[in-house]
Amino acid sequence: MSHPELLERADRLEIRSPMRVGMRVLLAALGLFPLLAPYELLIRIDWEHFMNPFFFLAAFISAGATAVSGFLFLAGVAGLSSTIVFDRRTATFNYSSEAPVVRRTRQVQPLSDVRSIEVGVRDWSDSAPTYHLGVTVKDGTVFESGSSWSRDEIERIRGRVDQFLKAVDE
């Protein structure tokens, strides 16, 4: 999870949601553990007959473990880092996102196109909900920051953004 970080300057408000290198390495390292199943079930055992129901069960379990490993490796290299910038000097709203294997995307819109700043909630079946900041622009597109377990943290960032935008309007 990439917790949002708020950086404030006199004429610029920046919300960074980086996916740190340590998290990427951790995800890749965790991706190695499920690979033990194919090794133990297919390679280490010297199967004499492949037309065996136990071999098919081992192959099925190994395929699932390999898929989990692939997912963890993908999360490590394709997890997005995003940045939201409100710039008073240029009167623009910028959103950019990137990852090691994903090309950097950037969208720039006038501050006047920002329609609302909301706290979004993602409910998870197996853990507590996470919260993120959602910036809705004129065409209905919603740009999201990284997530946090703390609603108060996201509410605080939302309050700072609201104050910043009100100062722009004055």
Side-chain angles (χ1 to χ4, degrees):
M1 184 178 334
S2 51
H3 294 281
E5 303 167 349
L6 182 65
L7 299 163
E8 294 184 72
R9 296 185 193 120
D11 59 349
R12 184 179 169 105
L13 189 83
E14 193 170 330
I15 303 164
R16 291 183 184 169
S17 302
M19 184 172 205
R20 303 199 189 295
V21 173
M23 177 59 80
R24 294 182 190 282
V25 171
L26 176 66
L27 287 169
L30 288 174
L32 294 174
F33 288 108
L35 292 178
L36 287 174
Y39 173 75
E40 292 290 333
L41 295 173
L42 297 179
I43 297 170
R44 193 164 174 204
I45 296 176
D46 188 22
W47 291 95
E48 292 182 23
H49 302 287
F50 295 114
M51 297 308 271
N52 182 328
F54 294 110
F55 174 78
F56 289 118
L57 178 62
F60 181 73
I61 291 169
S62 296
T66 304
V68 169
S69 286
F71 177 74
L72 288 169
F73 291 142
L74 181 64
V77 296
L80 291 178
S81 294
S82 66
T83 304
I84 297 173
V85 178
F86 299 93
D87 195 331
R88 187 179 297 152
R89 197 172 22 90
T90 60
T92 57
F93 161 74
N94 300 301
Y95 176 83
S96 62
S97 62
E98 64 183 332
V101 296
V102 178
R103 188 183 338 175
R104 181 184 177 108
T105 61
R106 184 171 181 208
Q107 295 191 3
V108 179
Q109 308 216 356
L111 274 178
S112 58
D113 283 359
V114 174
R115 294 293 174 240
S116 67
I117 310 294
E118 304 290 329
V119 174
V121 180
R122 281 201 185 85
D123 290 313
W124 302 99
S125 62
D126 57 349
S127 66
T130 57
Y131 305 93
H132 62 275
L133 190 72
V135 179
T136 306
V137 294
K138 187 177 182 178
D139 67 2
T141 305
V142 179
F143 298 96
E144 296 181 357
S145 71
S147 299
S148 172
W149 298 109
S150 169
R151 183 180 188 105
D152 292 338
E153 177 185 7
I154 301 299
E155 289 285 356
R156 182 184 59 77
I157 292 172
R158 180 179 164 263
R160 296 299 300 142
V161 171
D162 283 341
Q163 287 178 351
F164 183 84
L165 291 176
K166 284 179 185 172
V168 169
D169 293 336
E170 295 173 353

